Amino acid sequence: MTTDKHLKYAARELAEREGISYTAARRRLTATPEVNVSASLTGTSAAAEADRESTPPRLYPIAGAVCATDCDGTVHPGGLCRPWRPEDSKAVRLEVQRAARLPIGRAGELCNRFEPPTATYPEGSFFARDATWLLDLVYAMLTDQHPEFRPGRAELRAAVEADDQAAVDAVMEPLDRAAARLMTKEAERWWSEVKPQLDAYADFIDADDREILTWQEADDRAAIGRLVEKWRRRWTKSRNTSGYMEAPGVLWLAPKSWLDDLLVEQHGGHGDGARIRLTDGRPAVVYAVEWSEAGAPVAYRVRELEPGQYGNAGKLVPSFRDELVSRDQVAGELNDA
């Protein structure tokens, strides 16, 4: 980034913060050379910055080619490494690239894969697809708080460059499992456990003052910041079309279904919406799947199927009462509708 571009970016930031025009902000910056441009980017006051020794903006060249996974910077002295990203692998399908992108990208690919279009919603349910960013935020929180869930860059790059979506899913599986265990369809657990965790993570991001060492970290931090802003807005009350004050919220049920379907596809079992028969003879429909750290499902949250009423006589419809059953209590798929 050139010095002029630094100045333009700083002027935009100052104009937005001070509520003045871009021209006025640029004039203020150029008229006070003792104030470092970086001060306007960080919000440092002119008085405090004037006490410091005047230093010009520092320019950091970036490596022109994608670095090897084990690059330590010696091959391009004085420049920043350019870590590999899925979009750097050009000769692969777009869906494979998206499935490997974090913090934003993989959630959208899972939504495209498991939120199929219907006659009513040709592009899938709008409300379910609108929850994609929530899964992005969950992925960001888990990889930030638990680095062991972040996929290895070498393994992920090999899977992407092989144009193998199944291999990408295998590399991402620890993170997907952690997200599936965190997400829930139980209202009580969502409001008492999951939402407070995301609130605490949002507070952490707002106060995060960790040093940013690479441009990739800066991009990721900005992307997570936008997710946090969206999270805040969804729980901020505003006046709806009926004139009442309410928070928009988010359809937090949807991402759990995508994760369950993904893991069932990999390890077998019964996915969301599958009709099963329990060992005691009762028919039921799978509402959610419970996972351990490895292997097939360990339990299912089901809703018993009951004879329909009010014009649906003879049909089996799911009740609204959830029940947790172990894998051993499932006899098999239900063949009779």
Side-chain angles (χ1 to χ4, degrees):
M1 184 179 289
T2 65
T3 304
D4 187 57
K5 288 184 178 179
H6 272 298
L7 183 59
K8 289 180 180 179
Y9 183 64
R12 285 196 296 269
E13 291 286 318
L14 181 61
E16 182 178 355
R17 187 171 65 250
E18 300 291 337
I20 59 178
S21 67
Y22 168 80
T23 304
R26 189 180 176 99
R27 188 182 302 114
R28 182 186 299 180
L29 290 175
T30 55
T32 54
E34 71 278 4
V35 179
N36 195 335
V37 171
S38 63
S40 64
L41 297 177
T42 59
T44 307
S45 67
E49 195 65 27
D51 292 336
R52 303 180 185 178
E53 183 180 356
S54 178
T55 56
R58 298 181 62 185
L59 304 180
Y60 294 94
I62 304 174
V66 176
C67 295
T69 305
D70 57 350
C71 181
D72 59 1
T74 56
V75 295
H76 46 78
L80 294 176
C81 289
R82 183 185 169 192
W84 172 87
R85 283 188 165 189
E87 51 266 35
D88 292 321
S89 300
K90 303 298 183 183
V92 300
R93 290 169 294 163
L94 182 58
E95 55 266 30
V96 176
Q97 292 183 13
R98 287 198 304 258
R101 290 177 187 165
L102 292 172
I104 296 178
R106 180 163 180 78
E109 174 56 31
L110 295 186
C111 177
N112 291 337
R113 203 186 308 180
F114 297 109
E115 194 64 42
T118 63
T120 306
Y121 302 103
E123 297 183 357
S125 170
F126 167 79
F127 297 103
R129 296 181 72 87
D130 185 52
T132 302
W133 65 269
L134 177 61
L135 185 53
D136 284 327
L137 183 61
V138 169
Y139 279 147
M141 180 179 72
L142 290 173
T143 53
D144 207 357
Q145 296 179 346
H146 302 278
E148 66 273 16
F149 293 147
R150 183 175 289 277
R153 192 179 299 277
E155 295 81 4
L156 188 60
R157 181 174 182 175
V160 171
E161 293 184 345
D163 200 16
D164 189 343
Q165 193 171 59
V168 173
D169 291 341
V171 176
M172 290 284 190
E173 184 175 334
L175 178 59
D176 291 329
R177 279 184 174 269
R181 292 197 301 272
L182 175 69
M183 300 301 285
T184 181
K185 288 190 174 182
E186 301 172 68
E188 182 179 355
R189 181 165 170 259
W190 163 260
W191 293 107
S192 64
E193 297 180 23
V194 182
K195 185 177 181 295
Q197 286 188 49
L198 290 169
D199 283 333
Y201 181 64
D203 292 339
F204 168 77
I205 292 298
D206 287 341
D208 189 7
D209 58 355
R210 291 174 295 178
E211 182 181 4
I212 297 176
L213 301 177
T214 68
W215 288 108
Q216 183 176 8
E217 290 181 24
D219 289 344
D220 291 347
R221 192 78 60 84
I224 295 172
R226 291 191 295 271
L227 293 175
V228 167
E229 289 177 6
K230 198 162 191 175
W231 172 261
R232 298 289 196 201
R233 289 196 301 270
R234 289 307 177 97
W235 307 111
T236 301
K237 290 186 177 181
S238 59
R239 197 170 301 280
N240 61 20
T241 55
S242 301
Y244 295 101
M245 298 294 292
E246 67 173 1
V250 61
L251 188 61
W252 45 269
L253 301 167
K256 171 63 173 170
S257 298
W258 309 335
L259 293 165
D260 286 346
D261 289 342
L262 171 68
L263 294 173
V264 164
E265 191 177 81
Q266 295 172 352
H267 297 280
H270 307 283
D272 177 47
R275 294 193 166 205
I276 59 176
R277 187 173 295 280
L278 304 180
T279 52
D280 59 10
R282 290 180 298 153
V285 62
V286 174
Y287 183 57
V289 187
E290 301 294 322
W291 301 93
S292 62
E293 294 185 358
V298 296
Y300 298 95
R301 186 161 292 278
V302 303
R303 289 181 171 180
E304 186 177 355
L305 288 170
E306 301 173 341
Q309 299 179 7
Y310 308 108
N312 293 319
K315 296 182 179 180
L316 291 175
V317 295
S319 68
F320 290 103
R321 183 176 60 257
D322 297 347
E323 179 182 349
L324 186 65
V325 299
S326 68
R327 180 175 54 190
D328 297 335
Q329 292 178 267
V330 179
E333 293 280 352
L334 181 64
N335 296 321
D336 51 326

